[in-house]
């Protein structure tokens, strides 16, 4: 008989120390209400990691940026260099450039931190571009995420601006040339260009105020706005719940994945260290922006083959491709050679991409909430448009290196420039047509897989001597994913009139109908229930149960006059 006694259920026992601490925190912070938050489910897909790369690169940017602010002097005061780098001895330069050289060559670890900061900026912008493109191609911008799409797009624009401002701070010859181009673009803006130039540069270029002002933008204004937008962006991701690709058990009302704690947090933490490690390797082994080889900025000098950071390459290419057109209007010179490529074209590109969710919702009259993603092939028009947009960007990007391409490949720079001018119109159009055909071909392939199964690569000889390839049925999960895709249909044509009364919205409805036909026309329909049932019946009567339908009945389809010889 045991001598152990059990306390009555209603007896009060002293709480453990950990429980008392948790109760104290809950009384002040309400941590017990975080239960649903820490169990928030996140789906698993490799494409979702691109946004994390951008976020982790931003964290590294903040940490390295704080370190660099302790040693960088943003002053434009002229000094004579007397440091350890002999080729610059006795050369007058600004304190901003001198402090950058000192950070790179004098301060222990300074070059590594500076390289890590620059590489983090390049990787972050690249990850944001891919992240935005992924959202566009999969349709995750649809209701209720239109506002979050705009926030993400503003983040991309601000991060590019932040990168350009930070790139300009060293006041070296390369970044100074970029600043001169920025001043010319600002001056080309009608009406307000002169006032904006005075606000940014404080007078005639280069002046003494541009670097201190850009420094304030770079370390205070722009990072503060970016941090605020990132916070709101992540809050909306939590609030709207994460999107996911179609598959078994996945609906518009649930999320299939892993909880935030401990699974997702552990994976995200490990991935953060991986991203940081890759950035550190790049900073340690891949030299970038060696400002001491360029020298300080002088308005009368420029280096051959000078190129901006990659995210500004499209703007450089547009400027180089545009002919030098200008005219005088009411005594004012309008420089179309700068206004069109550097102001109008980027603004139109940004506006179309930013407002696409609202355009698509207006065209389709779709007011439903969407939490399941499209595969790019399921929406050929949208995918083709996105790829054509990328093609235009790449043409302009390579146009920004027309002098380097001409030198390396022994071509005429005029020939390269004309190739870029023609490619601006031809390459996006060809990309659109080819991408659309590829998407439709992949839709046909998915339909064929559902009806006839997967090609195995095994060859079988039928009794009458014919050789066929053996097909296997798809697994249930793949079948469900292919069959659950949304079958988009264009809007019906509007009635021109009703009871003899013209339709007051006729022109708008016709435009909407035509745009919907462009978006959803020529879609490959999914197999019907009857077609799937016939394919299943044929499969059940096949010798192996999964031979191709057409091959299994090849002999039966032969006409009497088609006897083999």
């Amino acid at each position: 008989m045991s001598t152990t006694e059990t306390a009555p259920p209603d007896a009060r026992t002293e709480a453990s120390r950990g429980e008392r601490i948790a109760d104290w925190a809950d009384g002040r912070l309400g941590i017990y209400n975080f239960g649903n938050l820490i169990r928030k489910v996140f789906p698993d897909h490799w494409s979702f990691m691109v946004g994390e790369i951008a976020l982790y690169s931003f964290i590294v940017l903040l940490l390295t940026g704080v370190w660099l602010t302790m040693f960088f002097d943003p002053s434009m005061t002229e000094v004579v260099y007397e440091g350890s780098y002999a080729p610059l001895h006795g050369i007058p330069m600004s304190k901003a450039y001198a402090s950058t050289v000192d950070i790179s060559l004098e301060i222990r670890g300074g070059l590594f931190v500076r390289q890590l900061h620059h590489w983090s900026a390049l990787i972050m912008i690249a990850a944001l571009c891919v992240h935005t493109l992924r959202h566009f191609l999969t349709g995750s911008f649809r209701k209720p995420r239109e506002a979050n799409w705009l926030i993400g797009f503003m983040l991309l624009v601000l991060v590019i601006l932040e990168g350009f401002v930070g790139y300009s701070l060293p006041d070296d010859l390369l970044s100074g040339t970029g600043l001169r181009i920025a001043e010319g673009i600002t001056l080309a803006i009608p009406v307000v260009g002169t006032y904006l130039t005075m606000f940014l540069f404080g007078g005639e270029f280069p002046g003494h105020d541009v670097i201190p002002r850009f420094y304030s933008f770079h370390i205070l204004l722009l990072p503060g706005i970016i941090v605020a937008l990132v916070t709101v962006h992540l809050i909306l991701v939590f609030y709207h719940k994460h999107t996911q690709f179609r598959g078994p058990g996945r609906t518009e009302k649930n999320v299939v994945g892993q909880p935030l704690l401990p699974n997702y947090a552990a994976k995200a933490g490990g991935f953060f260290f991986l991203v940081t490690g890759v950035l550190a390797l790049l900073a340690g082994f891949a030299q970038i922006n060696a400002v001491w080889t360029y020298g300080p900025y002088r308005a009368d000098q420029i280096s051959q083959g000078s190129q901006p950071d990659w995210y500004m390459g499209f703007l450089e290419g547009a400027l180089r491709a545009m002919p030098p057109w200008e005219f005088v209007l009411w005594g004012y010179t309008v420089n179309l050679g700068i206004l069109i490529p550097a102001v109008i074209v980027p603004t139109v590109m940004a506006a179309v991409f930013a407002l696409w969710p609202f355009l698509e919702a207006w065209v389709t009259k779709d007011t439903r909430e969407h939490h399941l993603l499209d595969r790019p092939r399921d929406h050929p028009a949208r995918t083709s448009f996105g790829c054509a947009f990328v093609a235009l960007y790449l043409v302009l990007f390579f146009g920004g290196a027309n002098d380097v391409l001409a030198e390396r490949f022994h071509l005429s720079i005029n020939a390269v420039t004309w190739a870029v001018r023609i490619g601006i119109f031809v390459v996006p159009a060809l990309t659109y047509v080819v991408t659309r055909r590829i998407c439709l071909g992949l839709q046909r392939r998915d339909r064929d897989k559902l009806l006839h199964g997967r090609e195995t690569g095994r060859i079988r000889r039928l009794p009458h001597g014919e050789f066929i390839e053996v097909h296997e049925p798809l697994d249930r999960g793949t079948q469900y994913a292919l069959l659950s895709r949304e079958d988009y249909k264009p809007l019906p044509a509007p009635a021109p009139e009703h009871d003899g009364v013209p339709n007051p919205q006729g022109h708008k409805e016709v435009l909407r109908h035509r745009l919907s036909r462009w978006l959803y026309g020529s879609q490959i329909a999914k197999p019907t229930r009857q077609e799937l049932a016939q394919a299943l019946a044929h499969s059940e009567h096949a010798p192996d149960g999964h031979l191709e339908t057409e091959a299994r009945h090849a002999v039966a389809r032969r006409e009497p006059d088609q006897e083999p010889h």
Side-chain angles (χ1 to χ4, degrees):
M1 179 176 179
S2 174
T3 58
T4 302
E5 296 183 359
T6 303
D10 58 346
R12 296 181 59 85
T13 58
E14 185 178 359
S16 64
R17 186 175 182 180
E19 185 178 350
R20 293 197 303 272
I21 294 175
D23 289 339
W24 181 90
D26 179 66
R28 292 154 180 80
L29 304 175
I31 62 173
Y32 290 163
N33 296 325
F34 293 165
N36 293 333
L37 179 63
I38 64 177
R39 301 301 295 175
K40 187 77 171 179
V41 175
F42 285 83
D44 286 328
H45 195 270
W46 66 267
S47 64
F48 300 155
M49 300 170 67
V50 180
E52 296 180 34
I53 294 175
L55 178 61
Y56 302 153
S57 300
F58 182 57
I59 295 174
V60 176
L61 269 172
L62 292 177
L63 296 177
T64 54
V66 170
W67 190 92
L68 290 172
T69 56
M70 301 178 184
F71 303 97
F72 180 72
D73 186 351
S75 173
M76 294 288 286
T77 302
E78 188 174 276
V79 297
V80 177
Y81 183 75
E82 300 293 343
S84 62
Y85 188 63
L88 292 178
H89 274 183
I91 296 180
M93 61 185 64
S94 65
K95 284 187 176 181
Y97 180 75
S99 64
T100 304
V101 175
D102 288 341
I103 290 173
S104 303
L105 305 178
E106 303 284 350
I107 299 173
R108 179 168 297 184
L111 179 59
F112 173 78
V113 175
R114 190 174 150 264
Q115 297 285 284
L116 183 59
H117 189 74
H118 201 143
W119 271 114
S120 300
L122 298 181
I123 298 299
M124 179 185 179
I125 297 174
L128 277 177
C129 290
V130 177
H131 183 63
T132 303
L133 186 63
R134 196 271 297 179
H135 280 287
F136 181 82
L137 296 180
T138 58
S140 66
F141 52 77
R142 293 172 293 184
K143 183 182 178 181
R145 296 176 179 83
E146 300 97 333
N148 217 13
W149 166 266
L150 290 178
I151 291 174
F153 186 80
M154 287 189 291
L155 273 173
L156 177 59
V157 174
L158 288 174
V159 168
I160 291 176
L161 182 60
E162 170 79 342
F164 173 76
V165 170
Y167 164 84
S168 304
L169 291 181
D171 195 33
D172 59 287
L173 183 59
L174 184 61
S175 65
T177 303
L179 268 180
R180 185 69 171 115
I181 295 174
E183 189 230 10
I185 294 173
T186 309
L187 283 173
I189 301 176
V191 183
V192 298
T194 306
Y195 301 98
L196 288 177
T197 303
M198 294 295 294
F199 171 73
L200 291 175
F201 297 92
E204 293 293 331
F205 183 84
H208 296 279
D209 299 328
V210 58
I211 298 300
R213 291 184 182 186
F214 275 26
Y215 185 67
S216 300
F217 294 159
H218 187 67
I219 70 169
L220 292 175
L221 180 62
L222 293 177
I225 298 175
I226 291 172
V227 169
L229 289 178
V230 167
T231 304
V232 176
H233 187 74
L234 294 178
I235 289 174
L236 289 178
V237 169
F238 270 79
Y239 177 73
H240 292 143
K241 75 184 181 183
H242 210 293
T243 54
Q244 59 186 346
F245 286 95
R246 301 177 186 274
R250 299 173 182 177
T251 67
E252 297 282 5
K253 298 182 180 180
N254 71 348
V255 178
V256 178
Q258 296 179 346
L260 176 63
L261 288 176
N263 305 62
Y264 189 79
K267 292 172 60 177
F271 190 50
F272 168 75
F273 290 112
L274 285 174
V275 172
T276 306
V278 172
L279 292 174
L281 288 175
L282 289 172
F285 293 101
Q287 177 68 52
I288 187 173
N289 199 23
V291 296
W292 55 89
T293 64
Y294 305 145
Y297 175 71
R298 286 184 53 178
D300 60 339
Q301 293 182 357
I302 187 173
S303 59
Q304 189 275 337
S306 59
Q307 304 294 316
D309 279 341
W310 73 266
Y311 50 86
M312 299 301 295
F314 82 101
L315 191 63
E316 179 86 5
L319 285 168
R320 295 188 183 191
M322 184 68 189
W325 295 344
E326 65 180 28
F327 62 90
V328 178
L329 183 64
W330 297 315
Y332 294 93
T333 300
V334 180
N335 193 334
L336 296 180
I338 297 179
L339 182 63
I340 292 178
V343 179
I344 296 178
V345 170
T347 301
V348 172
M349 292 171 64
V352 171
F353 216 64
L355 300 178
W356 182 274
F358 306 96
L359 172 65
E360 188 170 313
W362 179 81
V363 170
T364 60
K365 296 184 178 181
D366 188 0
T367 58
R368 299 169 297 164
E369 288 194 0
H370 293 272
H371 302 288
L372 292 176
L373 299 174
D374 293 329
R375 291 189 304 169
R377 70 184 64 176
D378 296 337
H379 207 301
R382 182 203 297 152
T383 302
S384 303
F385 183 85
C387 291
F389 189 93
V390 174
L392 174 61
Y393 182 93
L394 291 177
V395 170
L396 294 177
F397 173 80
F398 287 109
N402 60 352
D403 54 341
V404 177
L405 294 175
E407 179 187 4
R408 295 296 174 90
F409 295 99
H410 306 288
L411 301 172
S412 166
I413 192 171
N414 291 330
V416 176
T417 302
W418 272 104
V420 172
R421 290 173 177 174
I422 297 172
I424 289 173
F425 301 97
V426 175
V427 174
L430 288 177
T431 303
Y432 179 88
V433 174
V434 172
T435 305
R436 186 179 181 88
R437 298 307 305 171
I438 291 175
C439 290
L440 294 176
L442 291 174
Q443 286 187 6
R444 291 189 182 94
R445 181 189 176 193
D446 290 341
R447 176 185 172 86
D448 185 71
K449 282 184 177 181
L450 287 170
L451 293 175
H452 307 307
R454 179 182 63 87
E455 297 176 355
T456 63
R458 300 197 306 270
I459 304 300
R460 179 183 177 89
R461 185 178 183 181
L462 297 181
H464 64 279
E466 182 179 1
F467 290 92
I468 64 170
E469 183 179 12
V470 176
H471 283 210
E472 288 182 351
L474 302 177
D475 61 89
R476 298 299 297 274
T478 304
Q479 289 179 353
Y480 179 85
L482 295 180
L483 286 171
S484 62
R485 76 172 175 91
E486 194 164 352
D487 208 358
Y488 295 106
K489 302 290 184 184
L491 296 176
E497 60 182 31
H498 179 69
D499 294 336
V501 179
N503 184 0
Q505 303 293 329
H507 296 291
K508 184 171 68 174
E509 294 298 328
V510 169
L511 175 62
R512 179 179 287 169
H513 168 65
R514 291 177 178 175
L515 289 176
S516 70
R517 287 182 59 188
W518 168 65
L519 277 175
Y520 296 148
S522 304
Q523 291 273 45
I524 306 302
K526 295 184 296 184
T528 62
R529 289 181 178 269
Q530 182 180 4
E531 290 172 333
L532 290 172
Q534 291 176 355
L536 179 61
H538 292 159
S539 176
E540 290 174 350
H541 290 88
D544 285 348
H546 50 256
L547 297 180
E548 186 179 5
T549 304
E550 298 296 332
R552 289 198 305 269
H553 298 278
V555 177
R557 291 201 309 269
R558 281 200 181 99
E559 297 296 333
D561 59 345
Q562 292 180 324
E563 293 296 329
H565 297 285

